[in-house]
Amino acid sequence: MERFRERVVLVTGAAQGIGFSIAERFAAEGAHVALADIREAELARAERSLTGRGFSAAGYPLDVSVPEQVDQTVAAVVGKHGAIHILANNAGIAWEEPFVDIGDDRWRKMIDVNLNGMFYVAQRVARHMKARGGGVIINMASTNGLAGEAKYAHYNASKGAVVLLTKTMAIELGAGGIRVNAVCPGYIQTPMSEAIDDPAFVARYIDAHIPLGRVGQPSDISGIFAFLASDDAAFVHGACIVADGGQLA
Ligand SMILES: NC(=O)c1ccc[n+]([C@@H]2O[C@H](COP(=O)([O-])OP(=O)(O)OC[C@H]3O[C@@H](n4cnc5c(N)ncnc54)[C@H](O)[C@@H]3O)[C@@H](O)[C@H]2O)c1
């Protein structure tokens, strides 16, 4: 299937985890993929992994929380490929910390990357899409944006804000031909989640919280990004697609 032939997809946080899986999925379906990430060595490895398989991909070092860098990256991708048709606005950070212990600097860091960074990238790409007459934007939220979890006040707040940012973007941008949705994954096995939780905790967590009896894999999420970017989702707009093995049920 080559649903995304001649489509340019910008994926943030593309060096590993869910972002890399999203990049792989779009590349395998014929797209040119612009990979953006703050970690240059991992980004270069991700780029090599895709181009080595004959896919069309290029890496762009980017800290999404720095608006000037976002401006430069969007301009560079548009300058090189003529357009950004699809944005997978995925970059994010997480760590656990009791509410009363969160320092102002760490609160600001979480909001700076997960909310401000998402806004900078979405807005700059939306301006470009509006000028060229349309596109698709998919923001990475989380089940933590729909229900709280202890020790994640800063993360929960950032992802809850992404859900309403997405809905407001959908209301404002739909008339310009830009479809906007969010994806809300539950527990997905990635370097992010592995850095936080040990295997014994994960086993107890699955038993207590996930009816499907397993954690998710990045491919469980990248397929949803591909669906949302495709014509099959032509009337899906302002939605938040939950993929959590039944946890919120
Ligand atoms: N893993 C999960 O269980 C889970 C669940 C729900 C939502 N999410 C969300 O999915 C997204 C991807 O998570 P993941 O699990 O793949 O994490 P990950 O840590 O494995 O990957 C995140 C990527 O984002 C990059 N990144 C971090 N800060 C950045 C910045 N300032 N600018 C550019 N890139 C930056 C990292 O270098 C990394 O490559 C995040 O937004 C996360 O909040 C993850």
Side-chain angles (χ1 to χ4, degrees), residues 69-107:
Q69 288 190 25
V70 174
D71 289 337
Q72 285 162 8
T73 300
V74 171
V77 176
V78 172
K80 189 167 173 203
H81 302 287
I84 296 171
H85 301 98
I86 297 160
L87 167 65
N89 204 4
N90 162 78
I93 53 176
W95 64 86
E96 61 172 43
E97 201 169 11
F99 174 70
V100 293
D101 295 339
I102 299 173
D104 296 344
D105 54 340
R106 293 191 299 283
W107 173 271

Side-chain angles (χ1 to χ4, degrees), residues 13 15-19 37-39 62-65 90-93 113 140-142 155 159 185-188 190-193:
Q16 66 177 35
I18 299 171
D37 204 286
I38 195 170
R39 288 181 309 146
L62 168 68
D63 181 345
V64 296
S65 69
N90 162 78
I93 53 176
V113 176
M140 179 59 94
S142 168
Y155 183 75
K159 293 299 187 181
Y187 195 131
I188 310 300
T190 68
M192 174 188 278
S193 56

Side-chain angles (χ1 to χ4, degrees), residues 3-225:
R3 287 186 293 182
F4 303 113
R5 178 160 284 287
E6 291 178 16
R7 289 280 175 272
V8 178
V9 186
L10 172 60
V11 184
T12 66
Q16 66 177 35
I18 299 171
F20 181 66
S21 179
I22 293 167
E24 253 184 330
R25 178 66 187 251
F26 279 111
E29 293 205 39
H32 172 79
V33 185
L35 314 159
D37 204 286
I38 195 170
R39 288 181 309 146
E40 298 196 22
E42 289 81 356
L43 180 63
R45 202 170 52 218
E47 180 186 334
R48 280 197 305 276
S49 164
L50 294 182
T51 55
R53 282 177 268 168
F55 296 145
S56 177
Y60 295 82
L62 168 68
D63 181 345
V64 296
S65 69
V66 181
E68 296 76 19
Q69 288 190 25
V70 174
D71 289 337
Q72 285 162 8
T73 300
V74 171
V77 176
V78 172
K80 189 167 173 203
H81 302 287
I84 296 171
H85 301 98
I86 297 160
L87 167 65
N89 204 4
N90 162 78
I93 53 176
W95 64 86
E96 61 172 43
E97 201 169 11
F99 174 70
V100 293
D101 295 339
I102 299 173
D104 296 344
D105 54 340
R106 293 191 299 283
W107 173 271
R108 275 195 293 268
K109 175 78 181 167
M110 188 74 80
I111 299 298
D112 240 7
V113 176
N114 287 6
L115 178 57
N116 297 345
M118 195 130 314
F119 163 71
Y120 300 138
V121 178
Q123 188 203 49
R124 273 52 170 194
V125 172
R127 285 175 178 160
H128 157 71
M129 288 177 172
K130 200 170 170 190
R132 66 170 296 278
V136 177
I137 295 177
I138 306 161
N139 292 329
M140 179 59 94
S142 168
T143 48
N144 288 53
L146 302 172
E149 181 178 2
K151 297 187 188 163
Y152 286 93
H154 39 18
Y155 183 75
N156 299 341
S158 72
K159 293 299 187 181
V162 168
V163 171
L164 273 174
L165 173 68
T166 303
K167 289 175 186 281
T168 313
M169 287 171 60
I171 294 165
E172 291 194 30
L173 300 176
I178 305 170
R179 275 198 309 108
V180 189
N181 291 288
V183 178
C184 291
Y187 195 131
I188 310 300
Q189 190 176 14
T190 68
M192 174 188 278
S193 56
E194 281 167 352
I196 296 170
D197 296 321
D198 68 75
F201 169 85
V202 176
R204 285 197 306 276
Y205 191 90
I206 292 170
D207 202 39
H209 299 295
I210 309 180
L212 277 186
R214 67 172 178 90
V215 296
Q217 297 301 318
S219 59
D220 288 316
I221 303 305
S222 52
I224 299 169
F225 274 71

